[in-house]
């Protein structure tokens, strides 16, 4: 059983399970700070389906525990054409050491089948944790904008931010995170499946092309209502 398929299945199970471990009608507080985590491919998963099923069960249980403790804000698989990135997790944690500790009980991570690529994040417009339907999974699109290799001056940075804010204001995208470090600078989420339309819109991003920033638009699965 391939890890990508497992992630889609566990996303459905996790999000339906979240309805039992935490209310979905009150927002999760953020007293410590948001972390954005890409779950990335590690070593090949075992061919023993029973072993994989056992790891999946523990993976789900750990996510359910984190959600109940109001540490997990959102999680779901995505489709990376390169096969590197498998999913995203948005967490609340005081520091990276604590965040890594959240995954000690997750054998996918602790045994190296998935790795954590974590960065502190500014939630310019956060994913919705207030009124969601955890019984349903919704396919949308995640947009990743790389960190430009050239250092942006204040004007260029302001132009980039204004462009993205306009997309939020016009409801082209429903959520937006700025990452503190790593090759990805901005992560945005859009409802719907019109990849071509989003690529055309983001081709006008001020730093795309001339400043060396690249834009990737990939399928993403989250609980219905998580993307406003």
């Amino acid at each position: 059983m391939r890890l990508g398929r497992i992630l889609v299945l566990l996303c459905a199970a996790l999000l339906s399970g979240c309805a039992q471990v935490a209310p979905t009608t009150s927002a999760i507080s953020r007293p410590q700070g948001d972390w954005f985590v890409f779950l990335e491919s590690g070593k090949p998963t075992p061919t023993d389906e029973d072993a994989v099923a056992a790891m999946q069960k523990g993976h789900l249980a750990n996510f359910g525990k984190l959600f109940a403790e109001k540490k997990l804000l959102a999680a779901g698989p995505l489709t990376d054409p390169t096969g590197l990135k498998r999913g995203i997790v948005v967490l609340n944690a005081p520091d990276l050491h604590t965040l890594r500790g959240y995954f000690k009980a997750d054998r996918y991570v602790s045994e190296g089948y998935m790795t954590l690529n974590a960065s502190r994040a500014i939630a310019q417009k956060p994913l919705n944790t207030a009124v969601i339907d955890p019984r349903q999974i919704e396919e949308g699109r995640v947009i990743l904008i790389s960190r430009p290799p050239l250092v942006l001056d204040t004007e260029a940075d302001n132009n980039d931010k204004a462009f993205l804010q306009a997309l939020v204001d016009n409801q082209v995208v429903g959520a937006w995170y700025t990452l503190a470090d790593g090759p990805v600078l901005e992560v945005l989420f859009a409802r719907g499946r019109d990849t071509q339309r989003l690529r055309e819109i983001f081709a006008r991003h001020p730093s795309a092309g001339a400043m060396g920033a690249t834009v990737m638009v990939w399928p993403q699965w989250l609980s219905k209502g998580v993307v406003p």
Side-chain angles (χ1 to χ4, degrees):
M1 186 181 294
R2 297 178 60 188
L3 182 57
R5 173 172 168 76
I6 292 168
L7 277 169
V8 173
L9 293 174
L10 69 83
C11 181
L14 166 64
L15 294 170
S16 63
C18 285
Q20 302 172 12
V21 299
T24 59
T25 56
S26 60
I28 294 176
S29 61
R30 292 176 168 81
Q32 299 174 323
D34 287 351
W35 286 80
F36 198 99
V37 178
F38 290 107
L39 291 173
E40 297 184 345
S41 294
K43 64 184 184 182
T45 52
T47 56
D48 184 339
E49 292 195 4
D50 290 338
V52 173
M55 286 195 293
Q56 178 183 349
K57 183 177 180 180
H59 190 64
L60 291 171
N62 189 56
F63 271 146
K65 178 176 179 291
L66 293 174
F67 192 93
E69 294 171 350
K70 299 187 177 181
K71 296 172 182 174
L72 173 67
L73 306 176
L78 54 77
T79 298
D80 173 359
T82 71
L84 174 62
K85 289 178 168 54
R86 297 292 189 171
I88 62 100
V89 187
V90 184
L91 294 156
N92 187 263
D95 52 56
L96 182 57
H97 176 75
T98 302
L99 182 149
R100 292 189 181 282
Y102 292 169
F103 291 87
K104 284 184 177 179
D106 186 336
R107 289 178 55 202
Y108 276 132
V109 176
S110 65
E111 297 183 14
Y113 300 109
M114 290 192 289
T115 62
L116 304 178
N117 183 348
S119 172
R120 280 199 178 273
I122 298 172
Q124 309 283 5
K125 187 178 190 303
L127 291 163
N128 181 30
T129 59
V131 182
I132 63 175
D133 184 353
R135 297 164 298 179
Q136 298 186 54
I137 302 300
E138 189 170 59
E139 180 182 344
R141 292 294 181 265
V142 60
I143 302 97
L144 310 180
I145 302 175
S146 70
R147 195 175 302 276
L150 302 175
V151 177
L152 301 181
D153 59 28
T154 301
E155 181 179 1
D157 184 63
N158 288 341
N159 288 341
D160 286 354
K161 291 293 192 290
F163 175 83
L164 298 179
Q165 186 61 54
L167 296 183
V168 171
D169 294 342
N170 289 296
Q171 300 182 334
V172 175
V173 297
W176 167 24
Y177 292 82
T178 300
L179 308 191
D181 48 44
V184 176
L185 175 60
E186 312 284 2
V187 183
L188 303 100
F189 295 86
R191 299 184 68 182
R193 305 179 186 181
D194 196 339
T195 299
Q196 184 58 37
R197 173 175 174 267
L198 289 169
R199 285 176 176 164
E200 291 171 356
I201 290 171
F202 278 90
R204 301 193 293 270
H205 184 277
S207 287
M211 300 303 293
T214 58
V215 179
M216 296 156 284
V217 182
W218 298 340
Q220 168 78 59
W221 289 266
L222 291 166
S223 179
K224 186 174 182 180
V226 169
V227 180

